[in-house]
Amino acid sequence: MLPMVAVFFLFGWWPILRSVLLGFQHTNLVDPPEWAGLDNFAALLADPLLWITVRNTVWFVLLALLFGFPVPIVLAVVMSELRKLGGLFRVLVYLPVAVPPVVAVLMWKWFYDPDHGLFNQALGVLGLGPYPWLQDTATAMPSLVLEATWAAAGSTVLIYLAALSSVPGELYEAAEIDGASIWRRVWHVTLPHLRGVLLIMLLLQIIGTFRIFTEPFVLTDGGPEDSTVTILLLIYRYAFIYGDYGTAAALGVLLAVALGVISAVYLRLTRKWSSV
């Protein structure tokens, strides 16, 4: 038991403690570190790009919740209602998850290409476009949300389908005998039974979307005009472009604290609802 705890501490908690310590040091990871106190945090808060990244990340989170959260629920409910080809649709929905993230993002980069991309070619047949999906400040972030939703929806759909399988079939049969439509069965039978899973998945999606990195890093590199620079992308820049590992760690600490506070408030607000 003790070796397992030691291994868990070494690989699970020591990196976290080391990152917190780095946030209070000036270090390039080569020379001996110097104690910096709160200097890294002060420099970070004085950086105007920090508030731009916070605004961008919150905007991404809101868009991802608005469009990305309902999509897996709708897909799972529709697939659970299918009498035929349900297995095929499960495979098709989960297929994007099997694609390596960087490969998927590069594929979508071609989709968004303003000259030869799939989307503009398809819209061109209808006489529309071309549109600067990733080159315009107004459409760049929604384009990232669309790709992220496509990439992550499959796993969430399977979780909802597993939860739906626990709903007693007698409830649906009774609803059908009473003449309930599909929408009324979903509203009065399905959603109440998914309430606990929905609350957990919503919290996980909030945390996951705050940590968005691959899409803005590969698709836009934070552009255009810093409109897609997220918090994790700024951490990457501090650490691996500016070589300021202390400030990068300080920003990571602030993000972890913010997510901890958000999670605590969320669990506090939903405690009563989830226990019903």
Side-chain angles (χ1 to χ4, degrees):
M1 185 67 180
L2 185 60
M4 294 176 60
V5 174
V7 170
F8 180 79
F9 175 81
L10 180 62
F11 293 100
W13 285 97
W14 174 243
I16 298 175
L17 298 176
R18 186 76 178 93
S19 299
V20 173
L21 181 62
L22 279 177
F24 296 92
Q25 294 178 334
H26 290 305
T27 177
N28 57 10
L29 300 183
V30 177
D31 299 322
E34 298 178 0
W35 183 253
L38 297 176
D39 289 353
N40 291 329
F41 293 91
L44 188 60
L45 295 176
D47 185 353
L49 187 57
L50 171 66
W51 307 110
I52 295 176
T53 62
V54 172
R55 182 196 63 193
N56 294 341
T57 304
V58 171
W59 180 230
F60 180 89
V61 171
L62 292 176
L63 288 177
L65 293 179
L66 181 63
F67 299 106
F69 187 70
V71 169
I73 302 173
V74 173
L75 288 175
V77 171
V78 171
M79 291 169 63
S80 68
E81 293 288 336
L82 293 176
R83 299 290 187 263
K84 298 180 180 179
L85 300 178
L88 175 61
F89 282 107
R90 286 176 173 81
V91 172
L92 292 177
V93 169
Y94 191 73
L95 193 58
V97 182
V99 180
V102 174
V103 175
V105 173
L106 289 175
M107 182 175 66
W108 276 75
K109 192 170 187 176
W110 170 66
F111 289 171
Y112 285 137
D113 187 279
D115 298 321
H116 309 290
L118 177 65
F119 290 156
N120 278 340
Q121 288 187 16
L123 292 173
V125 175
L126 303 175
L128 302 174
Y131 297 103
W133 302 96
L134 300 175
Q135 290 73 33
D136 189 276
T137 57
T139 58
M141 190 62 84
S143 300
L144 300 187
V145 172
L146 181 61
E147 191 282 335
T149 300
W150 171 86
S155 298
T156 311
V157 169
L158 293 186
I159 293 173
Y160 287 137
L161 284 173
L164 285 171
S165 65
S166 66
V167 180
E170 296 81 4
L171 296 178
Y172 289 114
E173 293 173 1
E176 289 180 356
I177 292 174
D178 291 339
S181 62
I182 293 179
W183 168 247
R184 292 181 66 85
R185 294 203 300 270
V186 170
W187 184 256
H188 293 289
V189 178
T190 303
L191 291 182
H193 280 81
L194 289 181
R195 182 165 46 204
V197 178
L198 288 172
L199 292 175
I200 294 298
M201 296 307 297
L202 179 58
L203 177 60
L204 292 178
Q205 182 158 353
I206 292 173
I207 295 174
T209 47
F210 264 101
R211 298 183 299 154
I212 185 70
F213 173 74
T214 305
E215 283 78 5
F217 178 68
V218 177
L219 286 176
T220 62
D221 195 25
E225 301 176 8
D226 293 330
S227 61
T228 59
V229 180
T230 60
I231 294 176
L232 256 62
L233 186 56
L234 184 60
I235 292 176
Y236 170 84
R237 288 182 176 180
Y238 272 125
F240 300 107
I241 294 181
Y242 310 142
D244 190 350
Y245 296 98
T247 305
L251 182 52
V253 170
L254 291 179
L255 177 61
V257 171
L259 290 179
V261 171
I262 292 172
S263 300
V265 172
Y266 177 87
L267 293 174
R268 178 72 178 175
L269 293 176
T270 59
R271 178 185 300 173
K272 184 178 180 180
W273 193 33
S274 61
S275 62
V276 175

